Amino acid sequence: MPSFNNLEMAAALSNDNRISIKKGFLGIGTKAVYQPTQSALRVIIKEYNADNGLRIEKLLNTSAEKLAAEVERCRDIQDAQIGNMHLEVCASRDGQFVAAQLFRFVDFKYQAVTSLRTFEGNDAGIMSVLL
């Protein structure tokens, strides 16, 4: 299971005032919590080939008004065993918060393709369909 600390987007998400980071027993492990609902965040990492990665990029860059339609178009996207596109997602267990960022593997490291995008409430529920 992926760890919050190992995410490329962990630093950016840690600076969000809606997210609190709690250390585990004896400082071992980290737990991220969405403050408004006190719901723990689960970490999801998916790999995509270049074509599906571009579709995810378009989804993450779409406006809130067109989000539901774009998610519907992306329902058939399959993740790959090995791909050059890497999607990191943190989603609250209650479905009220989703944060996502897409990266591309270039020159032996991940480079951000999109900025960190957060979704709350109804928009988070729409995005949760893809997880």
Side-chain angles (χ1 to χ4, degrees):
M1 180 172 202
S3 168
F4 180 81
N5 287 335
N6 295 337
L7 294 176
E8 299 286 330
M9 69 177 190
L13 197 54
S14 295
N15 293 329
D16 191 323
N17 61 1
R18 297 169 291 183
I19 306 300
S20 69
I21 309 299
K22 299 178 181 179
K23 296 283 185 189
F25 182 68
L26 296 175
I28 299 171
T30 303
K31 181 178 177 184
V33 176
Y34 177 57
Q35 285 299 315
T37 62
Q38 293 298 309
S39 180
L41 296 181
R42 60 190 168 110
V43 175
I44 302 163
I45 297 176
K46 293 189 174 194
E47 301 284 333
Y48 296 101
N49 62 26
D51 292 334
N52 285 337
L54 290 174
R55 291 175 67 192
I56 294 292
E57 179 181 1
K58 183 178 177 186
L59 169 68
L60 291 177
N61 289 326
T62 194
S63 65
E65 298 82 31
K66 298 178 183 176
L67 184 63
E70 195 62 38
V71 166
E72 198 57 41
R73 275 192 287 263
C74 291
R75 278 181 167 269
D76 66 335
I77 292 179
Q78 298 292 318
D79 51 333
Q81 291 291 327
I82 300 173
N84 70 328
M85 304 294 273
H86 172 90
L87 178 67
E88 295 182 348
V89 179
C90 284
S92 64
R93 296 204 184 274
D94 64 2
Q96 294 299 304
F97 179 82
V98 173
Q101 189 170 12
L102 185 66
F103 297 87
R104 179 178 288 121
F105 193 72
V106 178
D107 295 330
F108 300 104
K109 62 182 176 179
Y110 285 108
Q111 295 179 350
V113 175
T114 63
S115 59
L116 177 64
R117 179 90 189 265
T118 59
F119 305 90
E120 291 184 285
N122 189 42
D123 290 344
I126 291 170
M127 283 298 292
S128 294
V129 170
L130 295 178
L131 308 176

